[in-house]
Amino acid sequence: MADLSGKTGLIVGVANKRSIAWAIAQAASNAGARVAVTFQGQRLEENVRDLAAGLSDPLVLPLDVTSDEQIANVFQEIDRTFGGLDFVVHGAAFAPPGELSNPFVQTTRDGFKLALDVSAYSLIALSRGALPLLEKKGGGSIVTLTYLGSERVFQNYNVMGVAKAALESTVRYLAADLGPKNIRVNAISAGPIKTLAAAGVSGFSSILQVYRDRAPLRRTIDTSEVADAAIFLLSNAGRAVTAEVLMVDGGYHATGM
Ligand code: NAP
Protein backbone atom coordinates (compact mmCIF):
# COMPACT_ATOMS: atom_id res chain seq x y z
CA MET A 1 0.00 0.00 0.00
CA ALA A 2 1.23 3.50 -0.88
CA ASP A 3 2.36 5.75 1.94
CA LEU A 4 0.51 8.92 2.95
CA SER A 5 2.46 9.53 6.18
CA GLY A 6 2.55 13.17 7.17
CA LYS A 7 -0.03 14.14 4.55
CA THR A 8 -3.36 15.86 5.16
CA GLY A 9 -6.51 15.50 3.09
CA LEU A 10 -10.11 16.59 2.72
CA ILE A 11 -12.69 13.91 1.95
CA VAL A 12 -16.16 15.01 0.83
CA GLY A 13 -19.08 12.60 0.35
CA VAL A 14 -19.28 10.42 3.45
CA ALA A 15 -22.91 9.57 4.18
CA ASN A 16 -22.51 6.22 5.93
CA LYS A 17 -20.26 3.18 6.20
CA ARG A 18 -21.18 2.05 2.68
CA SER A 19 -20.02 5.32 1.08
CA ILE A 20 -17.10 5.06 -1.33
CA ALA A 21 -15.69 8.22 0.30
CA TRP A 22 -15.74 6.46 3.67
CA ALA A 23 -13.64 3.57 2.32
CA ILE A 24 -11.19 6.14 0.97
CA ALA A 25 -11.11 7.99 4.31
CA GLN A 26 -10.28 4.75 6.13
CA ALA A 27 -7.63 3.73 3.60
CA ALA A 28 -6.04 7.20 3.71
CA SER A 29 -5.98 7.16 7.49
CA ASN A 30 -4.49 3.64 7.49
CA ALA A 31 -1.84 4.88 5.04
CA GLY A 32 -0.82 7.54 7.57
CA ALA A 33 -2.79 10.62 6.48
CA ARG A 34 -4.70 12.97 8.76
CA VAL A 35 -8.07 13.69 7.16
CA ALA A 36 -10.98 16.10 7.38
CA VAL A 37 -14.33 14.54 6.53
CA THR A 38 -17.50 16.49 5.88
CA PHE A 39 -21.19 15.82 6.36
CA GLN A 40 -24.10 17.39 4.54
CA GLY A 41 -26.81 18.69 6.88
CA GLN A 42 -27.58 17.73 10.48
CA ARG A 43 -29.31 14.50 9.33
CA LEU A 44 -25.90 12.91 8.71
CA GLU A 45 -23.81 14.66 11.36
CA GLU A 46 -24.08 12.04 14.11
CA ASN A 47 -23.47 9.20 11.67
CA VAL A 48 -20.36 10.81 10.20
CA ARG A 49 -19.00 11.82 13.64
CA ASP A 50 -19.44 8.24 14.90
CA LEU A 51 -17.62 6.85 11.86
CA ALA A 52 -14.85 9.45 12.01
CA ALA A 53 -14.15 8.54 15.63
CA GLY A 54 -12.37 5.48 14.20
CA LEU A 55 -9.89 7.63 12.24
CA SER A 56 -6.69 9.03 13.67
CA ASP A 57 -7.20 12.62 14.87
CA PRO A 58 -9.82 13.59 12.26
CA LEU A 59 -11.45 16.95 11.61
CA VAL A 60 -15.22 16.75 11.02
CA LEU A 61 -16.91 19.69 9.32
CA PRO A 62 -20.30 20.56 7.79
CA LEU A 63 -20.35 21.07 4.03
CA ASP A 64 -23.07 21.48 1.46
CA VAL A 65 -21.13 21.83 -1.79
CA THR A 66 -23.76 24.16 -3.26
CA SER A 67 -22.82 26.79 -0.64
CA ASP A 68 -19.79 28.98 -1.41
CA GLU A 69 -19.89 30.21 2.20
CA GLN A 70 -19.62 26.66 3.60
CA ILE A 71 -16.82 25.84 1.15
CA ALA A 72 -14.91 28.93 2.33
CA ASN A 73 -15.47 27.94 6.00
CA VAL A 74 -14.21 24.40 5.40
CA PHE A 75 -10.92 25.56 3.89
CA GLN A 76 -10.47 28.25 6.55
CA GLU A 77 -10.90 25.64 9.28
CA ILE A 78 -8.61 23.13 7.54
CA ASP A 79 -5.93 25.77 7.03
CA ARG A 80 -6.15 26.77 10.68
CA THR A 81 -5.88 23.17 11.89
CA PHE A 82 -3.70 21.45 9.26
CA GLY A 83 -1.77 24.45 7.88
CA GLY A 84 -2.22 23.27 4.29
CA LEU A 85 -3.51 20.30 2.32
CA ASP A 86 -1.98 17.49 0.25
CA PHE A 87 -5.13 16.01 -1.27
CA VAL A 88 -8.86 16.36 -1.85
CA VAL A 89 -11.34 13.57 -2.54
CA HIS A 90 -14.62 14.67 -4.11
CA GLY A 91 -17.40 12.11 -3.69
CA ALA A 92 -20.53 14.26 -3.76
CA ALA A 93 -23.28 13.62 -6.28
CA PHE A 94 -27.01 14.25 -6.35
CA ALA A 95 -29.97 14.35 -8.70
CA PRO A 96 -33.61 14.72 -7.61
CA PRO A 97 -35.25 11.26 -7.44
CA GLY A 98 -37.71 11.95 -10.28
CA GLU A 99 -34.84 12.62 -12.67
CA LEU A 100 -33.56 9.06 -12.07
CA SER A 101 -36.83 7.33 -12.88
CA ASN A 102 -38.75 9.49 -15.37
CA PRO A 103 -38.00 9.28 -19.12
CA PHE A 104 -34.82 11.28 -19.86
CA VAL A 105 -36.71 13.61 -22.19
CA GLN A 106 -38.70 14.80 -19.15
CA THR A 107 -35.53 16.08 -17.38
CA THR A 108 -36.48 19.38 -15.74
CA ARG A 109 -34.45 22.58 -15.92
CA ASP A 110 -34.22 22.71 -12.11
CA GLY A 111 -33.25 19.03 -11.86
CA PHE A 112 -30.56 19.50 -14.50
CA LYS A 113 -29.15 22.58 -12.75
CA LEU A 114 -29.06 20.93 -9.34
CA ALA A 115 -27.51 17.68 -10.62
CA LEU A 116 -24.79 19.54 -12.52
CA ASP A 117 -24.18 21.95 -9.62
CA VAL A 118 -23.75 19.28 -6.92
CA SER A 119 -22.12 16.61 -9.07
CA ALA A 120 -19.84 18.57 -11.44
CA TYR A 121 -19.48 22.30 -10.66
CA SER A 122 -18.63 21.49 -7.06
CA LEU A 123 -15.32 19.98 -8.18
CA ILE A 124 -14.31 23.38 -9.59
CA ALA A 125 -15.45 25.21 -6.46
CA LEU A 126 -13.62 22.79 -4.14
CA SER A 127 -10.46 22.86 -6.26
CA ARG A 128 -10.46 26.67 -6.17
CA GLY A 129 -10.94 26.68 -2.41
CA ALA A 130 -8.20 24.08 -1.92
CA LEU A 131 -5.71 25.80 -4.23
CA PRO A 132 -3.91 28.06 -1.71
CA LEU A 133 -3.70 25.18 0.79
CA LEU A 134 -2.31 22.76 -1.81
CA GLU A 135 0.18 25.40 -2.96
CA LYS A 136 1.45 25.70 0.63
CA LYS A 137 2.51 22.04 0.35
CA GLY A 138 4.12 22.50 -3.08
CA GLY A 139 1.30 20.73 -4.93
CA GLY A 140 -1.13 17.91 -4.37
CA SER A 141 -3.67 15.49 -5.74
CA ILE A 142 -7.41 15.85 -6.35
CA VAL A 143 -9.55 12.76 -7.03
CA THR A 144 -13.22 12.58 -7.95
CA LEU A 145 -15.60 9.68 -8.55
CA THR A 146 -17.40 9.06 -11.80
CA TYR A 147 -19.32 6.35 -13.65
CA LEU A 148 -19.38 4.88 -17.16
CA GLY A 149 -22.87 6.35 -17.56
CA SER A 150 -20.97 9.48 -18.69
CA GLU A 151 -20.35 7.92 -22.10
CA ARG A 152 -22.79 4.99 -22.35
CA VAL A 153 -26.50 4.89 -21.70
CA PHE A 154 -27.64 3.05 -18.56
CA GLN A 155 -31.36 2.94 -17.98
CA ASN A 156 -32.51 5.62 -15.48
CA TYR A 157 -29.00 7.02 -14.93
CA ASN A 158 -30.29 9.92 -17.02
CA VAL A 159 -29.15 13.40 -15.98
CA MET A 160 -26.49 11.88 -13.72
CA GLY A 161 -24.82 10.55 -16.88
CA VAL A 162 -24.77 14.09 -18.27
CA ALA A 163 -23.36 15.37 -14.96
CA LYS A 164 -20.62 12.71 -15.01
CA ALA A 165 -19.68 13.68 -18.58
CA ALA A 166 -19.31 17.28 -17.37
CA LEU A 167 -17.35 16.07 -14.35
CA GLU A 168 -14.86 14.09 -16.46
CA SER A 169 -14.35 17.04 -18.77
CA THR A 170 -13.89 19.24 -15.69
CA VAL A 171 -11.14 16.87 -14.53
CA ARG A 172 -9.21 17.44 -17.77
CA TYR A 173 -9.59 21.24 -17.70
CA LEU A 174 -8.61 21.45 -14.04
CA ALA A 175 -5.63 19.15 -14.65
CA ALA A 176 -4.44 21.45 -17.44
CA ASP A 177 -5.00 24.57 -15.33
CA LEU A 178 -3.42 23.31 -12.11
CA GLY A 179 -0.70 21.01 -13.48
CA PRO A 180 1.92 23.81 -13.60
CA LYS A 181 1.38 24.20 -9.83
CA ASN A 182 2.15 20.48 -9.39
CA ILE A 183 -1.50 19.71 -8.63
CA ARG A 184 -2.83 16.55 -10.27
CA VAL A 185 -6.54 15.99 -10.98
CA ASN A 186 -7.97 12.56 -11.76
CA ALA A 187 -11.22 10.60 -11.66
CA ILE A 188 -11.90 7.02 -10.74
CA SER A 189 -14.71 5.47 -12.74
CA ALA A 190 -16.05 2.88 -10.32
CA GLY A 191 -18.19 -0.10 -11.21
CA PRO A 192 -21.64 -0.16 -9.60
CA ILE A 193 -21.75 -0.59 -5.81
CA LYS A 194 -24.86 -0.65 -3.63
CA THR A 195 -24.65 2.66 -1.73
CA LEU A 196 -27.20 5.30 -0.72
CA ALA A 197 -26.67 7.25 -3.96
CA ALA A 198 -26.90 4.10 -6.10
CA ALA A 199 -30.18 3.14 -4.43
CA GLY A 200 -31.65 6.31 -5.94
CA VAL A 201 -31.26 4.92 -9.47
CA SER A 202 -34.36 2.85 -10.38
CA GLY A 203 -33.47 -0.71 -11.36
CA PHE A 204 -29.91 -0.45 -10.01
CA SER A 205 -29.84 -4.14 -8.99
CA SER A 206 -30.21 -5.23 -12.60
CA ILE A 207 -27.09 -3.20 -13.50
CA LEU A 208 -25.17 -5.13 -10.81
CA GLN A 209 -26.26 -8.44 -12.35
CA VAL A 210 -25.11 -7.40 -15.83
CA TYR A 211 -21.63 -6.71 -14.42
CA ARG A 212 -21.58 -10.13 -12.69
CA ASP A 213 -22.53 -11.78 -15.98
CA ARG A 214 -20.36 -9.84 -18.41
CA ALA A 215 -17.41 -8.05 -16.78
CA PRO A 216 -14.09 -9.77 -17.56
CA LEU A 217 -13.63 -10.48 -13.82
CA ARG A 218 -17.25 -11.82 -13.66
CA ARG A 219 -18.01 -9.91 -10.47
CA THR A 220 -18.87 -6.52 -9.11
CA ILE A 221 -16.36 -4.50 -7.11
CA ASP A 222 -16.35 -3.22 -3.55
CA THR A 223 -15.53 0.13 -1.99
CA SER A 224 -12.13 -1.04 -0.67
CA GLU A 225 -11.03 -1.68 -4.26
CA VAL A 226 -11.95 1.88 -5.24
CA ALA A 227 -10.14 3.12 -2.13
CA ASP A 228 -6.93 1.27 -3.07
CA ALA A 229 -6.98 2.92 -6.50
CA ALA A 230 -7.65 6.30 -4.87
CA ILE A 231 -4.68 5.91 -2.51
CA PHE A 232 -2.47 5.23 -5.54
CA LEU A 233 -3.65 8.45 -7.20
CA LEU A 234 -3.35 10.47 -3.97
CA SER A 235 0.14 9.22 -3.16
CA ASN A 236 3.58 9.74 -4.65
CA ALA A 237 3.08 6.44 -6.54
CA GLY A 238 0.73 8.29 -8.90
CA ARG A 239 3.00 11.34 -9.30
CA ALA A 240 3.00 11.31 -13.13
CA VAL A 241 -0.73 10.58 -13.53
CA THR A 242 -3.08 13.47 -14.18
CA ALA A 243 -6.14 14.27 -16.35
CA GLU A 244 -6.98 10.56 -16.22
CA VAL A 245 -10.21 8.62 -15.76
CA LEU A 246 -9.08 5.37 -14.14
CA MET A 247 -11.53 2.50 -14.66
CA VAL A 248 -12.04 0.36 -11.53
CA ASP A 249 -14.89 -1.81 -12.76
CA GLY A 250 -13.65 -5.37 -13.23
CA GLY A 251 -13.03 -4.50 -16.87
CA TYR A 252 -16.71 -4.04 -17.78
CA HIS A 253 -15.97 -0.88 -19.79
CA ALA A 254 -14.09 -2.94 -22.39
CA THR A 255 -16.93 -5.33 -23.20
CA GLY A 256 -18.92 -5.03 -26.40
CA MET A 257 -21.69 -7.51 -25.65
P1 NAP B 1 -23.17 7.96 -1.12
O1 NAP B 1 -22.65 7.20 0.02
O2 NAP B 1 -24.63 8.26 -1.14
O3 NAP B 1 -22.31 9.28 -1.31
C1 NAP B 1 -22.78 10.41 -2.03
C2 NAP B 1 -22.50 11.58 -1.16
O4 NAP B 1 -22.78 12.82 -1.82
C3 NAP B 1 -23.35 11.56 0.11
O5 NAP B 1 -22.53 11.75 1.23
C4 NAP B 1 -24.25 12.74 -0.12
O6 NAP B 1 -24.79 13.29 1.04
C5 NAP B 1 -23.30 13.66 -0.82
N1 NAP B 1 -23.97 14.86 -1.31
C6 NAP B 1 -25.10 14.96 -2.04
N2 NAP B 1 -25.41 16.25 -2.20
C7 NAP B 1 -24.45 16.97 -1.55
C8 NAP B 1 -24.23 18.35 -1.33
N3 NAP B 1 -25.05 19.28 -1.82
N4 NAP B 1 -23.16 18.72 -0.59
C9 NAP B 1 -22.31 17.80 -0.07
N5 NAP B 1 -22.47 16.49 -0.25
C10 NAP B 1 -23.54 16.09 -0.97
O7 NAP B 1 -22.90 7.17 -2.50
P2 NAP B 1 -21.56 6.73 -3.24
O8 NAP B 1 -22.01 5.69 -4.22
O9 NAP B 1 -20.49 6.42 -2.28
O10 NAP B 1 -21.19 8.03 -4.09
C11 NAP B 1 -19.94 8.66 -4.05
C12 NAP B 1 -19.54 9.07 -5.46
O11 NAP B 1 -19.25 7.88 -6.20
C13 NAP B 1 -20.61 9.81 -6.24
O12 NAP B 1 -20.01 10.80 -7.04
C14 NAP B 1 -21.19 8.71 -7.12
O13 NAP B 1 -21.81 9.23 -8.28
C15 NAP B 1 -19.91 7.98 -7.45
N6 NAP B 1 -20.09 6.63 -8.00
C16 NAP B 1 -20.87 5.72 -7.37
C17 NAP B 1 -21.02 4.46 -7.93
C18 NAP B 1 -21.91 3.44 -7.27
O14 NAP B 1 -22.32 2.49 -7.94
N7 NAP B 1 -22.21 3.55 -6.00
C19 NAP B 1 -20.36 4.12 -9.11
C20 NAP B 1 -19.54 5.07 -9.72
C21 NAP B 1 -19.42 6.33 -9.17
P3 NAP B 1 -26.40 13.06 1.29
O15 NAP B 1 -26.58 11.60 1.54
O16 NAP B 1 -26.70 13.95 2.42
O17 NAP B 1 -27.12 13.49 0.03
Side-chain angles (χ1 to χ4, degrees), residues 175-183:
D177 205 9
L178 304 181
K181 299 180 192 299
N182 193 32
I183 297 168

Side-chain angles (χ1 to χ4, degrees), residues 13 15 19-20 40 43-44 64-65 91-93 146 164 190 192-193 195-197:
S19 297
I20 298 173
Q40 198 226 160
R43 181 173 59 88
L44 290 176
D64 178 334
V65 295
T146 186
K164 293 303 191 191
I193 303 172
T195 61
L196 203 59

Side-chain angles (χ1 to χ4, degrees), residues 24 96 122 136 202 209 220 244:
I24 298 173
S122 60
K136 273 191 182 179
S202 304
Q209 192 54 47
T220 55
E244 178 67 343

Side-chain angles (χ1 to χ4, degrees), residues 12-22 38-41 43-44 48 63-67 70 90-95 114 118-119 122 144-148 157 160 164 167 188-199 204 208 221 223:
V12 176
V14 178
N16 57 37
K17 66 178 194 303
R18 291 173 198 272
S19 297
I20 298 173
W22 172 241
T38 63
F39 59 89
Q40 198 226 160
R43 181 173 59 88
L44 290 176
V48 174
L63 177 63
D64 178 334
V65 295
T66 62
S67 162
Q70 288 189 29
H90 171 269
F94 181 77
L114 183 56
V118 174
S119 316
S122 60
T144 187
L145 293 159
T146 186
Y147 181 58
L148 186 60
Y157 201 60
M160 191 52 78
K164 293 303 191 191
L167 180 69
I188 292 174
S189 184
I193 303 172
K194 210 155 203 157
T195 61
L196 203 59
F204 180 77
L208 287 173
I221 61 151
T223 57

Side-chain angles (χ1 to χ4, degrees), residues 1-15:
M1 175 56 75
D3 187 21
L4 295 178
S5 304
K7 293 193 187 288
T8 54
L10 166 65
I11 299 186
V12 176
V14 178

Side-chain angles (χ1 to χ4, degrees), residues 99-100 102 104 147-161 189-192 201-204 206-208 210-211 214 247 249 252-253 255:
E99 310 294 353
L100 303 176
N102 294 334
F104 180 68
Y147 181 58
L148 186 60
S150 60
E151 46 184 276
R152 313 247 185 105
V153 173
F154 288 83
Q155 202 177 8
N156 293 323
Y157 201 60
N158 293 358
V159 73
M160 191 52 78
S189 184
V201 180
S202 304
F204 180 77
S206 61
I207 297 180
L208 287 173
V210 171
Y211 276 68
R214 300 195 201 157
M247 309 303 300
D249 68 344
Y252 180 82
H253 65 282
T255 59

Side-chain angles (χ1 to χ4, degrees), residues 4 7-9 84-89 130-143 174-175 178-186 233-236 238-242:
L4 295 178
K7 293 193 187 288
T8 54
L85 258 187
D86 297 285
F87 63 84
V88 176
V89 175
L131 184 55
L133 284 73
L134 294 166
E135 283 185 294
K136 273 191 182 179
K137 297 292 205 81
S141 175
I142 299 172
V143 169
L174 283 172
L178 304 181
K181 299 180 192 299
N182 193 32
I183 297 168
R184 298 180 291 109
V185 188
N186 293 289
L233 291 172
L234 297 177
S235 74
N236 201 39
R239 62 194 174 279
V241 183
T242 194

